[in-house]
Amino acid sequence: MTTPVLDVRDLQVTFSTREGLVTAVDGVSFRVDAGEVMGLVGESGSGKSVTGLAVLGLIDPPGRIAAGSIKVKATELVGQSEKALQKVRGKDVAMIFQDPMTTLNPVLRIDTQMIEAIRAHEQVSEKAARERARDALAKVGIPSPEERLNAYPNQFSGGMRQRVAIATALLNRPAVLVADEPTTALDVTIQAQILSEVQALCAETGTALVWITHDLSVIAGLADKVAVMYAGRVVEEGPVADVLERPIHPYTAGLIGSVPSRNKRGVPLAQIPGMTPQLSKLPPGCPFAPRCGYSTDPCRTIRPERTPYPGGRAARCHNPLDVPPNTPKADAARELTP
Amino acid sequence: MLVYLIRRIGQSLLVIAVMAVLVFLAVYAVGDPVAILANPEATQQELDAIAARLGLDRPLWEQFAIFVWNALQGDLGTSFVYSESALTVILERLPATMELAFVALVLSILIGVPLGVIAGLKPDGLAGRTIMSTSILGFSLPNFWIGLMLILLFAVELQWLPASGRGDTVDVLGVPLSMFTLDGLSHLLLPAFTLALYKSSLVIRIAQAGTREVMLQDYVRFARAKGLSPRRIVMVHVLKNMMIPVVTVLGLELGSMIAFAVVTETVFSYPGMGKLLIDSINRLDRPIVVAYLMLTVFIFVIINLVVDMLYAAIDPRVRLSEAKG
């Protein structure tokens, strides 16, 4: 078995607030191999973005990584000095963000912003760096890249800006790219283009991709595997086709049910009742229990542990929905399937 | 850009016209200059003769019409006291005030921007809090008092710097300037620092708020995600964005420094325009006061125009949207 390029173990991120210590990410573990795409799915406030930022060591006070390990190419990042992290960011791990309108500095030209990303990690001439930036722009499908290098961000559309951000992030051929909802703010048609471009670019360079989103339909076509987060924990994980086809956790099932689909025309859209819980006021049992249609007494008192299932899957649930066959737990929960 | 410029100039002319009416009316309403100029024992006949010579016997509208007609030809009247063109009298003192304001401006940037950035980066740190609370002092201590204290400390006690007046000048392009001679600079330092103290506090506040705001922007996070050094992020990404509000405010403040260095110039007996204004108000030298105020309006209008242009130079977004309009 090869070592994964990104190996996150028992990651715990806490924020000290006025209401006390809040655990935004609690015991998250996942691994991504070179060239693999992992979807990190969850509602707002589920801790998915914080997890992404933690991978780059970008958690600012009052937040901090309280426990766990993040290894990129077998090098431990947790506990590293800011200077050491600087060398890793943009070189081994890159990140793109949600809103392309605000990711690029409005008062600096594109060439400045791209060349500095190269020269932060390599001693190359201005000219050579510029050529690399131009080639990178051409690769993400920006027409007449040489001229566009001299443009300011406001001279680009949203989709084009996100392309520039992607080109910038991939300049140093990082081993891992963390993409924090990069298509959420874009038109649907542009979304699809960007998705396939990022996928192709990552496949080409063998970059492992962590795609953070709340949109399961994006994950379905893009990712190899998926981790569903709820209230700072991964509640279900596994190969993307299996998870979407036969979700184990009721929360995953709820998410899938609330995706609009052509086949369900005329039927009111299913929704998960209630709201994401406040992290400072989590119930003692399963955080999803108050919103769950399958919750039983143990759900309200005992926090469910991570239970592995065959086919490389796992979930945290006392009443799993659709447990793959040949597992000891299979008979326990069948009657609850709707 | 050209359309924008023409529109801005049109607005500026309107402002100048309105100000001309207001200034003339306001000055006309104050006192009787003939009574001050004439010999106390002068007869009514002599008084009338003076009034006729100065054109003060004519009705208000006629005086105003003559003023406007002359002003359009570049003549803002003749000083009652100096018997010289009012504009000439003022312009003679303009370089002194200009360089005082300029040195004060440079000082306030050199003091204000770095301190503001430091305070903005670590708003809860000891340095940040010290800077911010000290800047309140800069705001609230009266200008004349600071001037007096500085004179007391540096001129009287330590005897490092001269207490008053303007130092040696050299002609630069025909303009006598003192900031290029050591003696001139030593005379400039105290009044310029006095004038700069309030502005520095202002710059610190704006720079601090700007830095805090910019540091939270996505592009700063993206810059960090690219692996840039904190130094580069602050010096390039933050500074350039943060300077936009600083330039705006400083532009306006430069106008007020030139026009209203009155108190500082009086404290330091600095022979600039501000001191001239105070003297002229005391002597009811109307043409000087009117010409001074008109010149001030003019300077403000020009500075505003330049600031807008500078703005466009720093911020490409302004450039683009104005090009469209």
mmCIF file of all heavy atoms in Angstrom, chain A residues 284-328:
data_model
loop_
_atom_site.group_PDB
_atom_site.id
_atom_site.type_symbol
_atom_site.label_atom_id
_atom_site.label_comp_id
_atom_site.label_asym_id
_atom_site.label_seq_id
_atom_site.Cartn_x
_atom_site.Cartn_y
_atom_site.Cartn_z
ATOM 1 N N PRO A 284 -25.716 15.753 24.074
ATOM 2 C CA PRO A 284 -24.723 14.750 24.521
ATOM 3 C C PRO A 284 -24.634 13.552 23.579
ATOM 4 O O PRO A 284 -23.566 12.975 23.424
ATOM 5 C CB PRO A 284 -25.254 14.322 25.895
ATOM 6 C CG PRO A 284 -26.697 14.705 25.897
ATOM 7 C CD PRO A 284 -26.824 15.901 25.023
ATOM 8 N N GLY A 285 -25.720 13.184 22.940
ATOM 9 C CA GLY A 285 -25.698 12.009 22.065
ATOM 10 C C GLY A 285 -25.264 12.367 20.670
ATOM 11 O O GLY A 285 -24.328 13.112 20.458
ATOM 12 N N CYS A 286 -25.981 11.812 19.695
ATOM 13 C CA CYS A 286 -25.686 12.080 18.300
ATOM 14 C C CYS A 286 -26.139 13.497 17.966
ATOM 15 O O CYS A 286 -27.286 13.859 18.230
ATOM 16 C CB CYS A 286 -26.408 11.071 17.411
ATOM 17 S SG CYS A 286 -26.345 11.480 15.664
ATOM 18 N N PRO A 287 -25.262 14.343 17.416
ATOM 19 C CA PRO A 287 -25.652 15.729 17.155
ATOM 20 C C PRO A 287 -26.820 15.846 16.175
ATOM 21 O O PRO A 287 -27.516 16.853 16.152
ATOM 22 C CB PRO A 287 -24.384 16.356 16.561
ATOM 23 C CG PRO A 287 -23.310 15.369 16.687
ATOM 24 C CD PRO A 287 -23.893 14.044 17.012
ATOM 25 N N PHE A 288 -27.025 14.816 15.382
ATOM 26 C CA PHE A 288 -28.083 14.881 14.388
ATOM 27 C C PHE A 288 -29.429 14.392 14.942
ATOM 28 O O PHE A 288 -30.473 14.585 14.331
ATOM 29 C CB PHE A 288 -27.685 14.053 13.152
ATOM 30 C CG PHE A 288 -28.634 14.182 11.996
ATOM 31 C CD1 PHE A 288 -28.895 15.426 11.420
ATOM 32 C CD2 PHE A 288 -29.292 13.062 11.481
ATOM 33 C CE1 PHE A 288 -29.766 15.556 10.357
ATOM 34 C CE2 PHE A 288 -30.177 13.182 10.418
ATOM 35 C CZ PHE A 288 -30.409 14.428 9.854
ATOM 36 N N ALA A 289 -29.391 13.785 16.120
ATOM 37 C CA ALA A 289 -30.593 13.146 16.669
ATOM 38 C C ALA A 289 -31.832 14.048 16.673
ATOM 39 O O ALA A 289 -32.920 13.587 16.295
ATOM 40 C CB ALA A 289 -30.297 12.626 18.075
ATOM 41 N N PRO A 290 -31.728 15.335 17.075
ATOM 42 C CA PRO A 290 -32.938 16.152 17.125
ATOM 43 C C PRO A 290 -33.624 16.332 15.768
ATOM 44 O O PRO A 290 -34.808 16.630 15.716
ATOM 45 C CB PRO A 290 -32.424 17.512 17.652
ATOM 46 C CG PRO A 290 -31.121 17.235 18.290
ATOM 47 C CD PRO A 290 -30.561 16.047 17.591
ATOM 48 N N ARG A 291 -32.880 16.154 14.688
ATOM 49 C CA ARG A 291 -33.465 16.363 13.368
ATOM 50 C C ARG A 291 -33.714 15.042 12.660
ATOM 51 O O ARG A 291 -34.154 15.022 11.511
ATOM 52 C CB ARG A 291 -32.504 17.190 12.503
ATOM 53 C CG ARG A 291 -32.121 18.514 13.110
ATOM 54 C CD ARG A 291 -30.991 19.158 12.349
ATOM 55 N NE ARG A 291 -31.398 19.605 11.017
ATOM 56 C CZ ARG A 291 -30.546 20.082 10.097
ATOM 57 N NH1 ARG A 291 -29.274 20.140 10.371
ATOM 58 N NH2 ARG A 291 -30.982 20.463 8.919
ATOM 59 N N CYS A 292 -33.416 13.940 13.333
ATOM 60 C CA CYS A 292 -33.394 12.647 12.644
ATOM 61 C C CYS A 292 -34.719 11.922 12.844
ATOM 62 O O CYS A 292 -35.230 11.833 13.961
ATOM 63 C CB CYS A 292 -32.238 11.804 13.194
ATOM 64 S SG CYS A 292 -32.076 10.203 12.403
ATOM 65 N N GLY A 293 -35.279 11.393 11.765
ATOM 66 C CA GLY A 293 -36.539 10.657 11.840
ATOM 67 C C GLY A 293 -36.383 9.250 12.391
ATOM 68 O O GLY A 293 -37.361 8.573 12.680
ATOM 69 N N TYR A 294 -35.143 8.809 12.554
ATOM 70 C CA TYR A 294 -34.905 7.436 12.993
ATOM 71 C C TYR A 294 -34.327 7.381 14.395
ATOM 72 O O TYR A 294 -33.890 6.331 14.850
ATOM 73 C CB TYR A 294 -33.934 6.739 12.027
ATOM 74 C CG TYR A 294 -34.373 6.805 10.596
ATOM 75 C CD1 TYR A 294 -33.913 7.796 9.757
ATOM 76 C CD2 TYR A 294 -35.270 5.854 10.079
ATOM 77 C CE1 TYR A 294 -34.321 7.873 8.442
ATOM 78 C CE2 TYR A 294 -35.678 5.932 8.766
ATOM 79 C CZ TYR A 294 -35.211 6.939 7.952
ATOM 80 O OH TYR A 294 -35.627 6.999 6.652
ATOM 81 N N SER A 295 -34.298 8.528 15.065
ATOM 82 C CA SER A 295 -33.569 8.537 16.328
ATOM 83 C C SER A 295 -34.306 7.734 17.399
ATOM 84 O O SER A 295 -35.533 7.725 17.466
ATOM 85 C CB SER A 295 -33.350 9.976 16.797
ATOM 86 O OG SER A 295 -34.588 10.629 16.929
ATOM 87 N N THR A 296 -33.522 7.057 18.200
ATOM 88 C CA THR A 296 -34.056 6.267 19.309
ATOM 89 C C THR A 296 -33.401 6.761 20.596
ATOM 90 O O THR A 296 -32.570 7.662 20.552
ATOM 91 C CB THR A 296 -33.734 4.775 19.104
ATOM 92 O OG1 THR A 296 -32.336 4.669 18.824
ATOM 93 C CG2 THR A 296 -34.529 4.203 17.944
ATOM 94 N N ASP A 297 -33.735 6.174 21.703
ATOM 95 C CA ASP A 297 -33.201 6.648 22.981
ATOM 96 C C ASP A 297 -31.674 6.704 23.043
ATOM 97 O O ASP A 297 -31.126 7.717 23.478
ATOM 98 C CB ASP A 297 -33.736 5.787 24.132
ATOM 99 C CG ASP A 297 -35.137 6.259 24.533
ATOM 100 O OD1 ASP A 297 -35.472 7.412 24.153
ATOM 101 O OD2 ASP A 297 -35.872 5.510 25.175
ATOM 102 N N PRO A 298 -30.973 5.654 22.608
ATOM 103 C CA PRO A 298 -29.502 5.732 22.683
ATOM 104 C C PRO A 298 -28.950 6.926 21.903
ATOM 105 O O PRO A 298 -27.929 7.514 22.287
ATOM 106 C CB PRO A 298 -29.031 4.414 22.062
ATOM 107 C CG PRO A 298 -30.228 3.567 21.909
ATOM 108 C CD PRO A 298 -31.450 4.383 22.093
ATOM 109 N N CYS A 299 -29.635 7.307 20.805
ATOM 110 C CA CYS A 299 -29.149 8.428 19.994
ATOM 111 C C CYS A 299 -29.051 9.700 20.819
ATOM 112 O O CYS A 299 -28.201 10.544 20.581
ATOM 113 C CB CYS A 299 -30.091 8.693 18.826
ATOM 114 S SG CYS A 299 -30.156 7.353 17.653
ATOM 115 N N ARG A 300 -29.949 9.849 21.794
ATOM 116 C CA ARG A 300 -29.993 11.094 22.543
ATOM 117 C C ARG A 300 -28.986 11.130 23.686
ATOM 118 O O ARG A 300 -28.751 12.171 24.273
ATOM 119 C CB ARG A 300 -31.412 11.335 23.059
ATOM 120 C CG ARG A 300 -32.320 11.887 21.967
ATOM 121 C CD ARG A 300 -33.726 12.125 22.465
ATOM 122 N NE ARG A 300 -34.543 10.921 22.446
ATOM 123 C CZ ARG A 300 -35.188 10.487 21.353
ATOM 124 N NH1 ARG A 300 -35.099 11.150 20.221
ATOM 125 N NH2 ARG A 300 -35.896 9.384 21.387
ATOM 126 N N THR A 301 -28.425 9.957 24.022
ATOM 127 C CA THR A 301 -27.528 9.937 25.185
ATOM 128 C C THR A 301 -26.103 9.480 24.844
ATOM 129 O O THR A 301 -25.149 9.932 25.463
ATOM 130 C CB THR A 301 -28.090 9.010 26.275
ATOM 131 O OG1 THR A 301 -28.466 7.778 25.658
ATOM 132 C CG2 THR A 301 -29.295 9.639 26.948
ATOM 133 N N ILE A 302 -25.980 8.582 23.873
ATOM 134 C CA ILE A 302 -24.651 8.036 23.579
ATOM 135 C C ILE A 302 -24.170 8.543 22.225
ATOM 136 O O ILE A 302 -24.889 8.445 21.231
ATOM 137 C CB ILE A 302 -24.678 6.484 23.547
ATOM 138 C CG1 ILE A 302 -25.256 5.967 24.873
ATOM 139 C CG2 ILE A 302 -23.288 5.931 23.311
ATOM 140 C CD1 ILE A 302 -25.749 4.544 24.787
ATOM 141 N N ARG A 303 -22.982 9.108 22.223
ATOM 142 C CA ARG A 303 -22.434 9.614 20.962
ATOM 143 C C ARG A 303 -21.986 8.417 20.110
ATOM 144 O O ARG A 303 -21.181 7.609 20.567
ATOM 145 C CB ARG A 303 -21.253 10.524 21.258
ATOM 146 C CG ARG A 303 -20.920 11.423 20.100
ATOM 147 C CD ARG A 303 -20.257 12.704 20.571
ATOM 148 N NE ARG A 303 -21.227 13.695 20.970
ATOM 149 C CZ ARG A 303 -20.921 14.970 21.251
ATOM 150 N NH1 ARG A 303 -19.684 15.358 21.176
ATOM 151 N NH2 ARG A 303 -21.836 15.814 21.596
ATOM 152 N N PRO A 304 -22.498 8.299 18.881
ATOM 153 C CA PRO A 304 -22.135 7.135 18.056
ATOM 154 C C PRO A 304 -20.677 7.160 17.636
ATOM 155 O O PRO A 304 -20.154 8.210 17.293
ATOM 156 C CB PRO A 304 -23.060 7.248 16.849
ATOM 157 C CG PRO A 304 -23.488 8.679 16.806
ATOM 158 C CD PRO A 304 -23.474 9.176 18.212
ATOM 159 N N GLU A 305 -20.031 5.991 17.710
ATOM 160 C CA GLU A 305 -18.627 5.876 17.302
ATOM 161 C C GLU A 305 -18.562 5.558 15.820
ATOM 162 O O GLU A 305 -19.533 5.133 15.199
ATOM 163 C CB GLU A 305 -17.940 4.759 18.100
ATOM 164 C CG GLU A 305 -17.662 5.132 19.546
ATOM 165 C CD GLU A 305 -16.828 6.383 19.681
ATOM 166 O OE1 GLU A 305 -15.822 6.522 18.948
ATOM 167 O OE2 GLU A 305 -17.195 7.260 20.498
ATOM 168 N N ARG A 306 -17.374 5.765 15.266
ATOM 169 C CA ARG A 306 -17.165 5.447 13.853
ATOM 170 C C ARG A 306 -17.186 3.931 13.679
ATOM 171 O O ARG A 306 -16.419 3.204 14.305
ATOM 172 C CB ARG A 306 -15.809 6.000 13.414
ATOM 173 C CG ARG A 306 -15.479 5.780 11.963
ATOM 174 C CD ARG A 306 -14.144 6.451 11.642
ATOM 175 N NE ARG A 306 -13.757 6.245 10.262
ATOM 176 C CZ ARG A 306 -13.130 5.160 9.830
ATOM 177 N NH1 ARG A 306 -12.824 4.200 10.667
ATOM 178 N NH2 ARG A 306 -12.804 5.046 8.540
ATOM 179 N N THR A 307 -18.096 3.440 12.839
ATOM 180 C CA THR A 307 -18.226 2.004 12.610
ATOM 181 C C THR A 307 -17.871 1.701 11.157
ATOM 182 O O THR A 307 -18.482 2.267 10.255
ATOM 183 C CB THR A 307 -19.672 1.541 12.849
ATOM 184 O OG1 THR A 307 -20.143 2.159 14.047
ATOM 185 C CG2 THR A 307 -19.762 0.046 12.947
ATOM 186 N N PRO A 308 -16.862 0.844 10.942
ATOM 187 C CA PRO A 308 -16.520 0.519 9.557
ATOM 188 C C PRO A 308 -17.519 -0.467 8.946
ATOM 189 O O PRO A 308 -18.104 -1.296 9.655
ATOM 190 C CB PRO A 308 -15.142 -0.109 9.675
ATOM 191 C CG PRO A 308 -14.933 -0.434 11.107
ATOM 192 C CD PRO A 308 -16.004 0.210 11.930
ATOM 193 N N TYR A 309 -17.749 -0.327 7.673
ATOM 194 C CA TYR A 309 -18.597 -1.241 6.909
ATOM 195 C C TYR A 309 -17.800 -1.733 5.715
ATOM 196 O O TYR A 309 -16.835 -1.090 5.297
ATOM 197 C CB TYR A 309 -19.871 -0.535 6.444
ATOM 198 C CG TYR A 309 -20.753 -0.119 7.594
ATOM 199 C CD1 TYR A 309 -20.700 1.182 8.084
ATOM 200 C CD2 TYR A 309 -21.629 -1.019 8.190
ATOM 201 C CE1 TYR A 309 -21.485 1.574 9.152
ATOM 202 C CE2 TYR A 309 -22.418 -0.630 9.259
ATOM 203 C CZ TYR A 309 -22.346 0.664 9.739
ATOM 204 O OH TYR A 309 -23.117 1.035 10.789
ATOM 205 N N PRO A 310 -18.216 -2.865 5.132
ATOM 206 C CA PRO A 310 -17.450 -3.385 4.000
ATOM 207 C C PRO A 310 -17.461 -2.410 2.814
ATOM 208 O O PRO A 310 -18.319 -1.545 2.719
ATOM 209 C CB PRO A 310 -18.164 -4.688 3.641
ATOM 210 C CG PRO A 310 -19.361 -4.792 4.478
ATOM 211 C CD PRO A 310 -19.346 -3.726 5.514
ATOM 212 N N GLY A 311 -16.507 -2.601 1.939
ATOM 213 C CA GLY A 311 -16.410 -1.753 0.751
ATOM 214 C C GLY A 311 -15.746 -0.438 1.062
ATOM 215 O O GLY A 311 -15.965 0.549 0.373
ATOM 216 N N GLY A 312 -14.939 -0.401 2.141
ATOM 217 C CA GLY A 312 -14.225 0.827 2.476
ATOM 218 C C GLY A 312 -15.134 1.917 2.984
ATOM 219 O O GLY A 312 -14.856 3.099 2.831
ATOM 220 N N ARG A 313 -16.254 1.544 3.565
ATOM 221 C CA ARG A 313 -17.177 2.565 4.047
ATOM 222 C C ARG A 313 -17.152 2.647 5.572
ATOM 223 O O ARG A 313 -16.658 1.749 6.245
ATOM 224 C CB ARG A 313 -18.599 2.252 3.574
ATOM 225 C CG ARG A 313 -18.705 2.152 2.072
ATOM 226 C CD ARG A 313 -20.111 1.900 1.615
ATOM 227 N NE ARG A 313 -21.007 2.989 1.979
ATOM 228 C CZ ARG A 313 -22.297 2.998 1.663
ATOM 229 N NH1 ARG A 313 -22.841 1.980 1.012
ATOM 230 N NH2 ARG A 313 -23.048 4.017 1.999
ATOM 231 N N ALA A 314 -17.681 3.734 6.109
ATOM 232 C CA ALA A 314 -17.787 3.888 7.554
ATOM 233 C C ALA A 314 -18.853 4.921 7.844
ATOM 234 O O ALA A 314 -19.164 5.763 7.009
ATOM 235 C CB ALA A 314 -16.453 4.342 8.155
ATOM 236 N N ALA A 315 -19.438 4.827 9.040
ATOM 237 C CA ALA A 315 -20.454 5.812 9.423
ATOM 238 C C ALA A 315 -20.519 5.890 10.935
ATOM 239 O O ALA A 315 -20.052 4.990 11.645
ATOM 240 C CB ALA A 315 -21.814 5.435 8.854
ATOM 241 N N ARG A 316 -21.080 7.009 11.435
ATOM 242 C CA ARG A 316 -21.321 7.148 12.861
ATOM 243 C C ARG A 316 -22.821 7.199 13.066
ATOM 244 O O ARG A 316 -23.426 8.266 12.950
ATOM 245 C CB ARG A 316 -20.730 8.459 13.364
ATOM 246 C CG ARG A 316 -19.228 8.518 13.453
ATOM 247 C CD ARG A 316 -18.845 9.940 13.804
ATOM 248 N NE ARG A 316 -17.416 10.153 13.694
ATOM 249 C CZ ARG A 316 -16.582 10.113 14.750
ATOM 250 N NH1 ARG A 316 -17.029 9.877 15.950
ATOM 251 N NH2 ARG A 316 -15.305 10.316 14.572
ATOM 252 N N CYS A 317 -23.434 6.044 13.344
ATOM 253 C CA CYS A 317 -24.879 6.036 13.523
ATOM 254 C C CYS A 317 -25.302 4.822 14.330
ATOM 255 O O CYS A 317 -24.785 3.722 14.136
ATOM 256 C CB CYS A 317 -25.572 6.030 12.164
ATOM 257 S SG CYS A 317 -27.366 6.155 12.300
ATOM 258 N N HIS A 318 -26.235 5.041 15.265
ATOM 259 C CA HIS A 318 -26.775 3.908 16.024
ATOM 260 C C HIS A 318 -27.787 3.128 15.212
ATOM 261 O O HIS A 318 -28.020 1.959 15.436
ATOM 262 C CB HIS A 318 -27.454 4.417 17.309
ATOM 263 C CG HIS A 318 -26.487 4.973 18.297
ATOM 264 N ND1 HIS A 318 -25.381 4.284 18.727
ATOM 265 C CD2 HIS A 318 -26.445 6.168 18.942
ATOM 266 C CE1 HIS A 318 -24.704 5.018 19.605
ATOM 267 N NE2 HIS A 318 -25.334 6.179 19.735
ATOM 268 N N ASN A 319 -28.464 3.806 14.300
ATOM 269 C CA ASN A 319 -29.505 3.159 13.508
ATOM 270 C C ASN A 319 -29.229 3.267 12.022
ATOM 271 O O ASN A 319 -29.928 3.968 11.302
ATOM 272 C CB ASN A 319 -30.871 3.789 13.806
ATOM 273 C CG ASN A 319 -31.226 3.680 15.269
ATOM 274 O OD1 ASN A 319 -31.075 2.618 15.859
ATOM 275 N ND2 ASN A 319 -31.654 4.785 15.852
ATOM 276 N N PRO A 320 -28.155 2.596 11.548
ATOM 277 C CA PRO A 320 -27.793 2.751 10.140
ATOM 278 C C PRO A 320 -28.922 2.302 9.224
ATOM 279 O O PRO A 320 -29.653 1.356 9.543
ATOM 280 C CB PRO A 320 -26.559 1.876 9.992
ATOM 281 C CG PRO A 320 -26.583 0.952 11.141
ATOM 282 C CD PRO A 320 -27.299 1.641 12.254
ATOM 283 N N LEU A 321 -29.041 3.022 8.093
ATOM 284 C CA LEU A 321 -30.180 2.790 7.207
ATOM 285 C C LEU A 321 -30.036 1.561 6.359
ATOM 286 O O LEU A 321 -30.786 0.601 6.467
ATOM 287 C CB LEU A 321 -30.294 3.995 6.243
ATOM 288 C CG LEU A 321 -30.798 5.289 6.821
ATOM 289 C CD1 LEU A 321 -30.815 6.324 5.724
ATOM 290 C CD2 LEU A 321 -32.182 5.083 7.398
ATOM 291 N N ASP A 322 -29.077 1.609 5.507
ATOM 292 C CA ASP A 322 -28.988 0.603 4.450
ATOM 293 C C ASP A 322 -27.626 -0.044 4.526
ATOM 294 O O ASP A 322 -26.734 0.253 3.748
ATOM 295 C CB ASP A 322 -29.197 1.291 3.099
ATOM 296 C CG ASP A 322 -29.427 0.267 2.011
ATOM 297 O OD1 ASP A 322 -29.465 -0.934 2.333
ATOM 298 O OD2 ASP A 322 -29.566 0.678 0.852
ATOM 299 N N VAL A 323 -27.458 -0.882 5.512
ATOM 300 C CA VAL A 323 -26.147 -1.448 5.751
ATOM 301 C C VAL A 323 -25.841 -2.482 4.679
ATOM 302 O O VAL A 323 -26.673 -3.325 4.362
ATOM 303 C CB VAL A 323 -26.113 -2.096 7.143
ATOM 304 C CG1 VAL A 323 -24.802 -2.799 7.363
ATOM 305 C CG2 VAL A 323 -26.357 -1.050 8.195
ATOM 306 N N PRO A 324 -24.672 -2.390 4.077
ATOM 307 C CA PRO A 324 -24.316 -3.382 3.065
ATOM 308 C C PRO A 324 -24.394 -4.790 3.666
ATOM 309 O O PRO A 324 -24.152 -4.961 4.859
ATOM 310 C CB PRO A 324 -22.881 -3.018 2.705
ATOM 311 C CG PRO A 324 -22.729 -1.610 3.128
ATOM 312 C CD PRO A 324 -23.642 -1.398 4.283
ATOM 313 N N PRO A 325 -24.764 -5.780 2.874
ATOM 314 C CA PRO A 325 -24.940 -7.141 3.395
ATOM 315 C C PRO A 325 -23.645 -7.724 3.971
ATOM 316 O O PRO A 325 -22.571 -7.151 3.797
ATOM 317 C CB PRO A 325 -25.384 -7.919 2.146
ATOM 318 C CG PRO A 325 -24.986 -7.063 0.983
ATOM 319 C CD PRO A 325 -25.016 -5.657 1.457
ATOM 320 N N ASN A 326 -23.780 -8.866 4.665
ATOM 321 C CA ASN A 326 -22.668 -9.590 5.269
ATOM 322 C C ASN A 326 -22.029 -8.830 6.416
ATOM 323 O O ASN A 326 -20.846 -8.944 6.662
ATOM 324 C CB ASN A 326 -21.563 -9.927 4.247
ATOM 325 C CG ASN A 326 -22.132 -10.577 3.017
ATOM 326 O OD1 ASN A 326 -23.126 -11.317 3.103
ATOM 327 N ND2 ASN A 326 -21.554 -10.282 1.888
ATOM 328 N N THR A 327 -22.796 -8.017 7.090
ATOM 329 C CA THR A 327 -22.238 -7.374 8.270
ATOM 330 C C THR A 327 -23.094 -7.783 9.458
ATOM 331 O O THR A 327 -24.293 -8.015 9.328
ATOM 332 C CB THR A 327 -22.257 -5.844 8.154
ATOM 333 O OG1 THR A 327 -23.579 -5.440 7.871
ATOM 334 C CG2 THR A 327 -21.338 -5.364 7.065
ATOM 335 N N PRO A 328 -22.441 -7.857 10.598
ATOM 336 C CA PRO A 328 -23.196 -8.273 11.774
ATOM 337 C C PRO A 328 -24.327 -7.310 12.117
ATOM 338 O O PRO A 328 -25.298 -7.712 12.735
ATOM 339 C CB PRO A 328 -22.137 -8.294 12.874
ATOM 340 C CG PRO A 328 -20.963 -7.538 12.339
ATOM 341 C CD PRO A 328 -21.018 -7.676 10.866
#
